[in-house]
Amino acid sequence: MKTFVVDLAKCNGCYGCQIACKDETVENEWMPYSKPQPNTGHFWLKMTEKIHGQVPKVLAEYRPTLCRHCDDAPCMKAAPEAVYKREDGLVIIDPEKAQDKKELVDACPYGAIYWNEELSVPQKCTGCAHLVDEGKLPHCVDACATGALLFGEEEELADLIAQSTDQWDVEGTKPRVYYVNPFGLFVSGEVWDVQADLVIEGASVKLTDAQGGVRETATDGFGDFWFKHLTPGVYTLDIEAPGFAGVKGRTVELVESLNIGDFPLEKE
């Protein structure tokens, strides 16, 4: 069975996959799998981005989103006569049998199905089934410059699949697009010397979660510290620097990525 794996740690948000999808399907008919994708309004593969943090400590998270080619696909249940799963695992909306079935758009909990008003047909990613039939990769995967998008046999990608997150899965759909290395949240700040009005490099910073798990880092040449790939929750922050009165037990409630600001330290 074929499957997609998306390594989010490698995705740099270049939008190459989204452009490749348009290049392959806009004004191109690949029957029996798809009629042409409209030039605007459809994103059979869509790059989503989220900005984390607050100025001046801001990072961007990127995630390619596409049809999840679910093993228990709600669209197949909504129109079993018009939607089918191939033996290789790709879910296809038959462009002929799905004619006028606009209800399929709402059947997808991932928002991956679009309505083509001109052709009166629901459409979505086909996994480039026409290319797969020729032993080629989906165009989005082939165009990915960083190796963030992978496609292949489930057995060959088993090690990566075992690391996947269900963060964006809808319960009961059994999706076959797997995401690994999710961005998570971060906590950042800056430590500086009040008397000298200079940043402190090499200060020891410790972040403890509610379960007692500890992460440690040191401030860099700008006095900054970062803790990345965190989950929401309550944390405790401690800062120590030789010769300075540190910070003990600062509570951090993390809902979204957070720049908790400056920590001016007084000399002892």
Side-chain angles (χ1 to χ4, degrees):
M1 294 280 279
K2 300 288 188 183
T3 189
F4 287 86
V5 174
V6 186
D7 188 342
L8 298 170
K10 295 180 178 179
C11 180
N12 64 4
C14 72
Y15 283 76
C17 53
Q18 182 173 302
I19 294 170
C21 179
K22 290 285 188 180
D23 177 65
E24 188 68 23
T25 58
V26 170
E27 298 183 359
N28 291 326
E29 181 174 288
W30 301 111
M31 295 298 286
Y33 304 123
S34 66
K35 292 183 178 181
Q37 178 183 168
N39 186 47
T40 60
H42 283 213
F43 293 97
W44 297 4
L45 187 150
K46 182 177 183 180
M47 179 64 70
T48 61
E49 64 177 68
K50 180 178 180 179
I51 304 301
H52 290 259
Q54 300 80 36
V55 175
K57 294 179 174 61
V58 177
L59 294 176
E61 168 190 6
Y62 302 100
R63 179 166 57 94
T65 58
L66 63 158
C67 168
R68 303 294 292 274
H69 296 279
C70 306
D71 279 340
D72 196 7
C75 58
M76 291 177 61
K77 294 178 180 179
E81 73 285 0
V83 187
Y84 64 97
K85 177 180 281 292
R86 299 186 354 152
E87 290 186 2
D88 62 4
L90 295 177
V91 174
I92 304 295
I93 297 177
D94 188 302
E96 300 293 345
K97 296 179 181 179
Q99 197 76 26
D100 300 325
K101 293 187 179 297
K102 192 172 184 178
E103 65 272 15
L104 279 176
V105 174
D106 294 329
C108 177
Y110 297 101
I113 299 177
Y114 296 84
W115 180 248
N116 187 320
E117 191 69 40
E118 181 180 354
L119 300 178
S120 191
V121 65
Q123 296 180 294
K124 69 171 189 67
C125 160
T126 66
C128 284
H130 61 288
L131 294 179
V132 175
D133 286 348
E134 298 176 1
K136 300 177 182 179
L137 291 172
H139 197 28
C140 60
V141 176
D142 190 44
C144 180
T146 63
L149 277 171
L150 300 172
F151 179 81
E153 296 295 336
E154 189 172 25
E155 296 77 10
E156 297 173 355
L157 299 171
D159 289 346
L160 282 173
I161 292 172
Q163 303 170 34
S164 66
T165 175
D166 60 0
Q167 184 174 345
W168 300 286
D169 294 354
V170 174
E171 186 176 357
T173 60
K174 300 178 182 177
R176 298 187 61 77
V177 174
Y178 299 94
Y179 291 94
V180 299
N181 296 318
F183 184 89
L185 305 179
F186 72 75
V187 167
S188 64
E190 178 183 301
V191 181
W192 58 284
D193 179 339
V194 174
Q195 279 76 24
D197 195 24
L198 294 171
V199 299
I200 300 175
E201 181 179 0
S204 176
V205 187
K206 181 172 68 174
L207 191 69
T208 306
D209 63 32
Q211 289 73 44
V214 176
R215 298 172 184 244
E216 295 184 90
T217 190
T219 54
D220 60 20
F222 299 98
D224 294 336
F225 63 85
W226 296 80
F227 292 98
K228 301 178 182 178
H229 307 294
L230 302 174
T231 57
V234 178
Y235 295 82
T236 302
L237 182 76
D238 297 288
I239 302 174
E240 294 181 353
F244 291 88
V247 174
K248 294 290 185 181
R250 163 75 179 269
T251 299
V252 179
E253 295 185 9
L254 191 62
V255 177
E256 296 287 348
S257 293
L258 186 62
N259 170 22
I260 52 179
D262 296 351
F263 288 86
L265 301 188
E266 299 275 358
K267 289 185 178 179
E268 291 182 322

